[in-house]
Amino acid sequence: MASTTRSRSKVRERREDVARRVLATVEELMADGTPYTELAVQRIAEQANVARSTFYLQFPDKSRLLIALAEHAVDALFAEAFLWWRADHSDGQDGVDHAMRKTIAAYREHRRILHALGEVAGYDADVAAYWRGRMRSFIDVVQERLDTEQRAGRIDPDMDTPTTAQLLTWMVERTISARSHHDEGPGDARIARSLARSIWLTIYGTAPAAPPAGAS
């Protein structure tokens, strides 16, 4: 029994090592300017010192490879925004600005992978399902917060929270994606401030008026 357990452990370790080498190789090749769609499996396998047969055992196709590659990038992209949507918002619009700056920086750091994800999702069903699922998970977080704020009477009672959650999420993603095609510079700060203002005013700009002083 112990021998079987050790054997399975070694197989798992070998698979994990192959996956790490392949993913690291793809990132290196893309960092040199090669688009993901132009990377051949043979080139990836040779550079990673992995047999093609072993490659396909780990990644049945390039769609699965891209999804595995995108996991860390998408986590980094959403990380700061997740924190803001779950915070108390006591820092006002400045808090959104900070979150947007961090999100833009994360997109820039992983822009090659995220661009590939968006491009391939346009024609690959598996990649599209993965990307929609990750976006849907984030949209759910946004809607949950909007619903909470609405029940507490802190935002417009007539707000359509499901639609607003979708609009805010895709507005940020599409804006930052388009922005990342340009060189980094002062424009990033302006984009972050503008996104922050749009988000804050959409949520709280039409909040119910406070009752008059002394009203019961």
Side-chain angles (χ1 to χ4, degrees):
M1 184 68 176
S3 176
T4 301
T5 301
R6 283 195 298 271
S7 177
R8 289 175 178 171
S9 178
K10 288 180 179 179
V11 169
R12 183 173 62 254
E13 288 174 3
R14 283 198 296 271
R15 288 181 175 175
E16 291 173 352
D17 179 60
V18 167
R20 281 193 297 269
R21 281 155 50 197
V22 168
L23 295 177
T25 295
V26 174
E27 289 191 3
E28 290 171 6
L29 292 171
M30 293 178 69
D32 289 339
T34 304
Y36 180 79
T37 52
E38 295 181 13
L39 288 176
V41 169
Q42 183 64 35
R43 182 183 179 190
I44 298 170
E46 288 177 355
Q47 190 102 355
N49 196 25
V50 171
R52 280 176 63 97
S53 57
T54 304
F55 176 96
Y56 282 119
L57 283 175
Q58 187 70 40
F59 303 105
D61 51 46
K62 281 186 67 181
S63 299
R64 297 297 174 184
L65 173 60
L66 179 56
I67 289 170
L69 194 66
E71 277 291 278
H72 174 66
V74 175
D75 285 345
L77 176 66
F78 288 141
E80 200 67 34
F82 268 125
L83 291 176
W84 184 79
W85 280 104
R86 287 167 171 160
D88 61 13
H89 296 181
S90 60
D91 49 4
Q93 190 173 311
D94 288 343
V96 204
D97 188 2
H98 174 80
M100 291 300 98
R101 288 171 185 260
K102 292 289 189 179
T103 302
I104 291 171
Y107 201 109
R108 283 198 175 281
E109 181 181 354
H110 302 284
R111 64 186 179 278
R112 293 180 180 87
I113 295 171
L114 293 170
H115 283 167
L117 183 64
E119 179 183 0
V120 177
Y123 59 82
D124 185 288
D126 290 336
V127 175
Y130 166 78
W131 184 223
R132 285 197 304 270
R134 292 303 304 265
M135 289 296 286
R136 181 69 257 174
S137 295
F138 185 79
I139 289 168
D140 288 344
V141 170
V142 176
Q143 184 184 339
E144 180 181 356
R145 179 55 181 268
L146 294 178
D147 287 341
T148 298
E149 295 293 274
Q150 197 172 59
R151 287 193 297 270
R154 290 188 288 265
I155 66 174
D156 188 349
D158 294 326
M159 179 186 290
D160 178 347
T161 58
T163 301
T164 302
Q166 292 183 53
L167 291 175
L168 290 175
T169 300
W170 283 108
M171 173 188 72
V172 170
E173 193 279 335
R174 289 291 81 199
T175 300
I176 294 177
S177 174
R179 174 65 196 169
S180 70
H181 287 284
H182 302 285
D183 292 334
E184 186 174 3
D188 282 0
R190 291 197 297 271
I191 292 293
R193 284 195 299 272
S194 295
L195 285 172
R197 185 174 187 276
S198 297
I199 293 168
W200 187 262
L201 291 179
T202 297
I203 301 170
Y204 297 111
T206 54
S216 56

